[in-house]
Amino acid sequence: MIAKNGLEAAELDAMLAAGLAKAREVGVAATIAIVDEGGYACRLYRSDGTGAMTPAVALAKARTAALMRAPSGALTARLKDEPELLRLTDYLPMPGGLPVRHAGACIGGVGVSGGTGEQDVAVAQAGLEALG
């Protein structure tokens, strides 16, 4: 039998809280999405003052990171040689999505939208760091 790891509610909430604290620190209104390994939403939080598209973008970044098992921004380089990757699903090749890993396996993704690519990555990284 195969055991499967996943994020528990308390871990999801800790990731969200750490991400929101980092967003405040860097001075951006951000939307943060956390998905499971299949790209399905577990948490979505939209801060006051974010743009109308930020929930869709944050979810797409998180989903891209989870399904590609790599940062969403890394997809840009792969598209030069493999543009057909964009036909597979709703991948979004923009910085701000990071895979969530545990025991060597990707168990989800966190995506952020609202700031620059660098700010979004910093907020997502803070969420990952909340896991220890």
Side-chain angles (χ1 to χ4, degrees):
M1 184 170 291
I2 297 174
K4 195 169 163 185
N5 292 307
L7 294 164
E8 296 178 353
E11 293 167 321
L12 293 164
D13 293 342
M15 289 177 69
L16 187 58
L20 291 171
K22 185 66 172 182
R24 283 189 296 276
E25 178 186 315
V26 298
V28 297
T31 295
I32 301 173
I34 306 169
V35 300
D36 65 15
E37 78 280 0
Y40 294 98
C42 298
R43 292 288 187 278
L44 177 67
Y45 184 87
R46 182 178 176 193
S47 297
D48 292 340
T50 58
M53 289 295 298
T54 61
V57 172
L59 276 167
K61 289 178 181 183
R63 190 163 195 265
T64 299
L67 296 176
M68 295 294 296
R69 309 314 197 225
S72 58
L75 182 57
T76 302
R78 284 192 63 188
L79 289 174
K80 292 175 186 168
D81 295 326
E82 302 175 85
E84 62 276 4
L85 285 173
L86 287 180
R87 300 280 298 158
L88 296 177
T89 188
D90 298 326
Y91 290 140
L92 184 61
M94 293 176 68
L98 298 175
V100 178
R101 299 185 186 282
H102 176 74
C106 182
I107 61 168
V110 57
V112 179
S113 180
T116 65
E118 185 177 288
Q119 290 169 323
D120 290 352
V121 169
V123 172
Q125 184 63 45
L128 290 181
E129 290 170 3
L131 295 176

